[in-house]
Amino acid sequence: MTAQTARSRDLATVIGLEVHVQLETDTKIFCGCSTEPADDEEPNSRTCPVCLGLPGALPVLNEAAVAAAVKVGKAIDASIPEETRFHRKNYYYPDLPKNFQITQYDAPICQDGELAFGVEGEERAVAIRRAHLEEDPGSLQHVGGGIDTADYTLVDYNRAGTPLMEIVTEPDFRSPGEVRAFLAKLEEVLEYLGVFDATRDGSLRVDANLSMVDADAVGEGGAIDAATLEDANRTEVKNISSHTGAEKALAYEQSRQKNAIQRGADVEQETRHWDESKGVTLSMRTKEEEKDYRYFREADLPPLRVADWKERIAIPELPAARRERFRGEYGLSREAADKLTSTKQVADFFEEVAEAFDPNLAATWVADELLGELNYRDIHVTDIEGRLDEVTRLVELVAADEITAKNARETVLRGMLDDGDAPDEIVEREGLGKTGDDEVAAAVREAIDENSDAVADYHAGEDGALNFLVGQVMQSTGGSADPGTVNELLREELED
Ligand code: ADP
Ligand code: ZN
Ligand code: MG
């Protein structure tokens, strides 16, 4: 094709992902070393002959890692084989002391799944080709520069052997924005399953493949035929570690390829590196092919029968189903249901409160008040997990009409979060207990006696008079009277 015709081509973007997620287990996938980084741990302190790859050391498969993978398989509606097997993927890199990675090849633990997600108000679903188990390599620390400019590089094997699941999608994405929405949804599901910790550094890493094809090749519902996908020159961008990073790296790569094609140049099939700080992708090497890895069976691990694990292992209700149930069962708005199912902890807590008191009160207090105040302070429900009983107590005080909603929100909840005090302590200290009925009635009579002008205005039909009297009562009771009750009592007295 000439540069002239190239310039006029309409192009469509094609993206497929290989997402690596660390599975949360106590110990590594093939040895007993801990997976939990200590705060001030020394490099290479959580290691043993197995994860250091010393000659003669033998791997032992961690059952918990397989169980976590089966949960993921169930959540993405994948098929799980009768028997799963491990392979050696051979390559030389300093973070991989054995010079091969134990991974899965022809009998992965999950195949043919799907994940649905919402993007810009639309439902999308992406096919998941496979999801397999493997070991995480160690980590490299480049000193004095980036991967290409460092003075030297240190290697730490503490991460080596952390269970990883590699989730490979079909090239079903049509924009970087879709990728971002998919990753958010994937994380949500993994967290619900209790197999993943999004707050851990590097717990999600993405290799993103992108190519540009003729817009004409995109058919009904976004489908593209296999030959077009096969022929398109694509790049694989490595070193992406966040949703926004993925979106940015892919947007960069998309315009880089588009520009090349429109100049009439070829897109090299290659592996590129995402430089987060510079916001660019850089060429690393020509893309390796499957045959380069010399896959062969891992003879030190026997095949594992997993045929009945799918029935044996239960998974919790997933966010989408729970959202629907919340709307039906508790009559919540879509917005409230979305907020209340944003994490499993929030949803569990809401249900606890809803059962003890009243779903509407629970929804207001968890979705609006609590999450609002937490958001404002940039903290998560998990950070106050030990104090949820106190939040329940606060809702109880409101439900029992012992304090006003306003005081509960503005004084008690904020005091709890800012000073760490218990709700009863704050109510006592600030004298927030609702004023007894007798006291309110006395304050109402006093307001009427002392404000004859306002009373006359009220009888003359002036709107503001009643509000003025309510204000007087609220003031004399120190804000602890219920404004609704005051209003009612005042009307009664004035009409007598
Ligand atoms: P390889 O053999 O190079 O590993 P695969 O067919 O196994 O290639 O696919 C690897 C990843 O590349 C998958 O995530 C897949 O969705 C993605 N992919 C395949 N074809 C394309 C394409 N034309 N454009 C973008 N991504 C693609
Ligand atoms: Zn070890
Ligand atoms: Mg591949």
Side-chain angles (χ1 to χ4, degrees):
M1 167 186 329
T2 66
Q4 198 54 45
T5 57
R7 207 167 284 131
S8 59
R9 280 170 69 184
D10 262 340
L11 298 168
T13 305
V14 179
I15 301 167
L17 302 180
E18 292 154 292
V19 186
H20 298 83
V21 293
Q22 287 183 339
L23 295 175
E24 272 223 282
T25 51
D26 295 338
T27 54
K28 294 183 180 179
I29 185 166
F30 300 123
C31 64
C33 292
S34 171
T35 54
E36 193 60 52
D39 280 343
D40 51 354
E41 75 180 8
E42 290 286 316
N44 300 304
S45 56
R46 273 188 293 121
T47 54
C48 73
V50 174
C51 54
L52 286 175
L54 300 189
L58 293 173
V60 177
L61 180 59
N62 180 352
E63 184 177 351
V66 183
V70 169
K71 287 184 185 172
V72 176
K74 286 183 79 161
I76 60 172
D77 210 11
S79 55
I80 291 175
E82 292 276 306
E83 203 173 271
T84 193
R85 288 190 287 274
F86 289 88
H87 273 70
R88 293 183 177 186
K89 180 182 183 181
N90 296 281
Y91 65 97
Y92 173 79
Y93 206 62
D95 61 8
L96 191 71
K98 299 194 294 295
N99 292 338
F100 61 83
Q101 179 190 32
I102 303 179
T103 179
Q104 300 198 286
Y105 183 54
D106 57 2
I109 184 103
C110 303
Q111 254 172 308
D112 298 327
E114 184 183 84
L115 187 68
F117 59 99
V119 57
E120 287 167 9
E122 226 181 289
E123 270 297 299
R124 289 273 289 121
V126 159
I128 291 170
R129 184 183 297 174
R130 54 184 282 148
H132 65 252
L133 278 168
E134 60 189 29
E135 56 183 336
D136 209 349
S139 45
L140 298 178
Q141 199 190 321
H142 305 296
V143 180
I147 190 170
D148 50 346
T149 56
D151 297 330
Y152 58 94
T153 295
L154 298 169
V155 57
D156 177 5
Y157 293 111
N158 281 347
R159 193 182 75 181
T162 300
L164 274 192
M165 199 165 194
E166 178 175 338
I167 300 166
V168 183
T169 77
E170 292 294 343
D172 287 351
F173 299 96
R174 297 291 171 262
S175 73
E178 283 184 3
V179 168
R180 181 180 175 176
F182 170 87
L183 292 173
K185 174 69 185 198
L186 178 64
E187 272 201 5
E188 180 188 63
V189 169
L190 295 171
E191 290 210 295
Y192 252 76
L193 294 172
V195 301
F196 178 72
D197 179 1
T199 63
R200 191 189 276 185
D201 237 13
S203 58
L204 175 125
R205 278 125 53 200
V206 182
D207 298 344
N209 302 271
L210 185 143
S211 65
M212 303 300 301
V213 300
D214 271 322
D216 297 344
V218 183
E220 192 89 9
I224 301 176
D225 70 87
T228 306
L229 292 172
E230 185 64 32
D231 289 347
N233 266 2
R234 65 177 190 266
T235 55
E236 179 174 0
V237 183
K238 289 194 180 283
N239 190 45
I240 304 171
S241 57
S242 70
H243 312 175
T244 45
E247 189 177 25
K248 281 190 212 149
L250 286 165
Y252 179 89
E253 194 53 23
Q254 176 178 259
S255 48
R256 193 189 66 83
Q257 290 192 19
K258 225 187 248 176
N259 289 342
I261 293 167
Q262 261 146 19
R263 273 202 320 272
D266 280 337
V267 171
E268 265 331 298
Q269 180 118 335
E270 62 180 354
T271 301
R272 298 179 69 87
H273 176 88
W274 168 238
D275 186 326
E276 175 89 52
S277 60
K278 297 203 187 84
V280 298
T281 67
L282 303 167
S283 179
M284 270 169 81
R285 56 177 187 251
T286 52
K287 191 169 161 38
E288 59 292 288
E289 289 180 41
E290 196 169 284
K291 62 179 190 302
D292 298 330
Y293 289 121
R294 300 292 188 274
Y295 280 96
F296 63 86
R297 284 281 295 278
E298 171 53 273
D300 291 336
L301 289 167
L304 180 73
R305 284 197 61 77
V306 281
D308 60 335
W309 284 47
K310 205 169 176 177
E311 278 80 74
R312 241 181 52 207
I313 293 175
I315 58 169
E317 186 182 29
L318 293 172
R322 202 164 194 189
R323 208 161 289 151
E324 280 316 300
R325 181 168 65 76
F326 276 17
R327 296 188 62 194
E329 192 173 327
Y330 302 113
L332 300 179
S333 67
R334 179 181 296 276
E335 196 198 352
D338 280 354
K339 274 193 203 168
L340 289 170
T341 49
S342 58
T343 72
K344 187 169 182 300
Q345 284 85 358
V346 170
D348 287 347
F349 181 59
F350 162 74
E351 289 217 273
E352 225 172 83
V353 179
E355 261 158 51
F357 307 107
D358 151 48
N360 281 323
L361 194 68
T364 307
W365 274 88
V366 180
D368 299 336
E369 312 299 4
L370 178 62
L371 292 184
E373 296 294 329
L374 291 182
N375 256 345
Y376 179 71
R377 289 165 179 76
D378 204 15
I379 49 181
H380 298 274
V381 170
T382 37
D383 300 326
I384 59 153
E385 216 154 10
R387 303 188 62 209
L388 289 178
D389 285 350
E390 292 179 7
V391 180
T392 309
R393 171 65 184 151
L394 175 61
V395 180
E396 187 180 15
L397 289 170
V398 179
D401 230 9
E402 288 183 35
I403 55 176
T404 65
K406 186 167 184 285
N407 282 335
R409 178 174 56 242
E410 288 175 8
T411 311
V412 186
L413 183 56
R414 289 177 192 171
M416 286 166 63
L417 295 174
D418 292 335
D419 312 323
D421 296 335
D424 288 289
E425 224 176 296
I426 301 170
V427 171
E428 170 91 30
R429 187 181 63 220
E430 307 287 331
L432 301 178
K434 261 194 196 170
T435 310
D437 290 349
D438 293 349
E439 233 175 296
V440 179
V444 164
R445 271 189 302 276
E446 186 186 302
I448 289 173
D449 291 346
E450 287 178 4
N451 297 283
S452 47
D453 288 352
V455 173
D457 287 347
Y458 174 83
H459 289 300
E462 212 162 289
D463 287 343
L466 185 66
N467 283 342
F468 172 80
L469 291 168
V470 172
Q472 294 300 304
V473 178
M474 294 308 290
Q475 206 172 2
S476 65
T477 55
S480 61
D482 176 59
T485 313
V486 173
N487 208 301
E488 222 167 89
L489 285 176
L490 272 168
R491 279 176 194 279
E492 277 171 20
E493 288 284 322
L494 289 165
E495 295 304 326
D496 268 352

